[in-house]
């Protein structure tokens, strides 16, 4: 060893890329090419502590990988956690799919014809088409039926949904012109009528947007869909949250209270909306996608628009959505769709689960967790202000950062110095893993 190497006051000579990649391997599980990449970046950063910076880079990369987590936040459709949880994927045989193949004739088929039938059956629409998300659905509808023309929107509905989805901006991108009507808190049918009369044939449609993640209270008024649909231009209703039918006939009991304020596709179409648009991964409980359902003619205009090719969903999404829609038709929603399983589990069942977990914790490591009543939320901007009663394990102190570092990250929340793990937002098959994570807390 040369004298310079042992003198820590002098800058370290960078190690070889291979040596540094081997150091990373001792701390972080990553494929070799990615370890080499992190090693090179660390050397490029100029030190002084090459090993520490290489390990930090590798750990960072590993943490940013999409990975399964346990959602104990109590927000069932958590936007940062991928909204509706996935149907469990059982590894089936590896086969191609009949995505664009007509099995009956052997000719090329449409990738969405089954979805159109299933969605029409469930919503009463004449036709339906599916795109990548609801933002894309709104964009496509406006581009297909209102480019170069006017669209009237109530001032109180010109909203930003989150993630940068702002109605006026999407409208501008589509080539349509926004015509504000009414006031922030109150908009009447007569406001729309006046705007339409003034502009004559320039108004392509009335757009209604569900404010989703906020809620104006007090002196408010919204024009009923039934009235708007009599004004002679098509009404497009962006309901966002994706409740398919307010009667919830796929549940065994009556519709739950927390859904009472939620607009639903079937009822909006029945009230006269020409089209509804909504997300697949909110209350529907399916994969990320956007659904456009309603008038045959307007859906056909969307399907024929050049943007359709850019916005169409992939085969995995088509297959997953088909499965979810079939669950609605077969009324197996509460057993097949994770969101609906979680949303409809009884509080008694949650209490039994929680007591078992608290007992196990006490026996395994003497940890005292309390079981406390909580209010879980459907989430994803649906049903703002609505709660579903729930139970949570409550521990003294703030442990959220440590729980995030568990081998399956557990995402919890804190309230008044307590760490709360809400049982409604994760599956009972993860109870043991959560108990395990808690036994490791110091
Ligand atoms: C969530 C939401 C959107 C955006 O839907 P994505 O599927 O996230 O693109 C648009 N409009 C409304 C009313 C929404 O609630």
């Amino acid at each position: 060893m040369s004298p310079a190497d042992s003198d820590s006051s002098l800058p370290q000579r960078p190690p070889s890329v291979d040596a540094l990649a081997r150091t990373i391997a001792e701390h972080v599980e990553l494929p070799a090419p990615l370890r080499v990449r992190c090693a090179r970046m660390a050397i490029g950063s100029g030190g002084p502590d090459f090993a520490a910076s290489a390990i930090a880079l590798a750990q960072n990369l590993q943490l940013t990988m999409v990975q399964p987590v346990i959602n104990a936040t109590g927000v069932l459709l958590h936007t940062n956690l991928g909204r509706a949880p996935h149907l469990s994927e059982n590894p089936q045989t590896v086969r191609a799919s009949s995505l664009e193949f007509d099995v009956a004739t052997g000719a090329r088929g449409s990738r969405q014809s089954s979805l159109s039938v299933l969605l029409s059956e469930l919503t009463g629409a004449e036709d339906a088409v599916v795109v990548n998300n609801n933002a894309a659905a709104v964009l496509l509808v406006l581009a297909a039926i209102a480019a170069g023309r006017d669209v009237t929107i109530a001032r109180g509905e010109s909203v930003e949904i989150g993630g940068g989805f702002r109605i006026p901006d999407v409208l501008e991108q589509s080539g349509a012109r926004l015509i504000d009507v009414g006031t922030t808190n109150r908009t009447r049918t007569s406001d729309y009528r006046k705007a339409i009369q003034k502009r004559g044939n320039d108004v392509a449609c009335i757009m209604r947007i569900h404010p989703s993640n906020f809620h104006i209270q007090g002196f408010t008024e919204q024009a009923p869909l039934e009235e708007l649909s009599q004004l002679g231009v098509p009404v497009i209703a962006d309901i966002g949250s994706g409740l398919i039918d307010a009667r919830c006939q796929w549940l065994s009991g009556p519709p739950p209270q927390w859904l009472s304020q939620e607009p639903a596709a079937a009822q909006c179409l029945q009230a006269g909306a020409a089209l509804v648009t909504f997300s697949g991964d909110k209350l529907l409980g399916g994969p990320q996608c956007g659904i456009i359902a309603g008038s045959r003619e307007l859906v056909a205009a969307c399907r024929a628009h050049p943007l359709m090719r850019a916005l169409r969903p992939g085969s995995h999404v088509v297959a997953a959505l088909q499965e979810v829609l079939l669950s609605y038709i077969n009324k197996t929603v509460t057993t097949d769709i994770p969101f609906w399983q979680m949303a409809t589990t009884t509080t008694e069942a949650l209490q039994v689960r929680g007591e078992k977990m608290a007992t196990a914790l006490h026996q395994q490591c003497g940890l005292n967790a309390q079981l406390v009543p909580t209010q879980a939320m459907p989430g994803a901007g649906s049903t703002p202000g609505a709660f579903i009663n729930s139970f949570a394990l409550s521990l003294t102190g703030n442990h959220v950062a440590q729980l995030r570092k568990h081998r399956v990250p557990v995402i919890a929340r804190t309230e008044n110095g307590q760490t709360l793990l809400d049982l409604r937002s994760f599956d009972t098959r993860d109870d043991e893993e959560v108990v395990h994570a808690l036994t490791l807390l110091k």
Side-chain angles (χ1 to χ4, degrees), residues 100-224:
E100 290 199 351
F101 180 74
D102 185 330
V103 178
T105 64
R108 181 164 183 177
S110 148
R111 61 169 61 195
Q112 295 202 3
S113 41
S114 74
L115 297 182
S116 157
V117 173
L118 301 177
L119 284 163
S120 298
E121 171 67 22
L122 288 165
T123 62
E126 291 171 355
D127 197 359
V129 68
V130 179
V131 290
N132 267 323
N133 51 48
N134 189 30
V138 173
L139 177 69
L140 178 60
V141 167
L142 291 173
I145 73 177
R149 298 178 66 196
D150 297 339
V151 177
T152 57
I153 299 186
R155 284 202 161 78
E157 295 176 10
S158 224
V159 297
E160 171 171 329
I161 304 290
F165 180 78
R166 309 182 103 189
I167 289 292
D169 295 347
V170 175
L171 205 113
E172 193 184 320
Q173 283 302 316
S174 74
R177 277 186 305 270
L178 170 63
I179 305 299
D180 289 310
V181 299
T183 62
T184 305
N185 55 329
R186 309 194 92 191
T187 303
R188 306 185 183 87
T189 307
S190 56
D191 296 324
Y192 291 93
R193 187 182 296 116
K194 263 184 252 157
I196 292 168
Q197 279 167 354
K198 200 162 124 193
R199 300 182 174 271
N201 285 338
D202 282 350
V203 177
C205 63
I206 294 171
M207 178 101 203
R208 270 272 290 254
I209 300 118
H210 182 44
S212 287
N213 41 10
F214 80 105
H215 182 78
I216 325 186
Q217 261 184 335
F219 188 58
T220 62
E221 185 174 337
Q222 194 190 37

Side-chain angles (χ1 to χ4, degrees), residues 360-384:
L361 270 175
H362 191 73
Q363 284 171 352
Q364 287 175 30
C365 65
L367 191 65
N368 279 323
Q370 306 291 317
L371 191 63
V372 297
T374 51
Q375 293 189 311
M377 286 190 273
S382 46
T383 69

Side-chain angles (χ1 to χ4, degrees), residues 18 76 133 164 211 218 240 248 302 315 363:
D18 279 350
L76 276 59
N133 51 48
C248 296
C302 293
S315 62
Q363 284 171 352

Side-chain angles (χ1 to χ4, degrees), residues 19 136 177 185 217 263 281 309 311 340 397 426 437:
R177 277 186 305 270
N185 55 329
Q217 261 184 335
D281 56 350
R309 178 62 180 78
L311 302 178
W340 283 99
F426 63 92

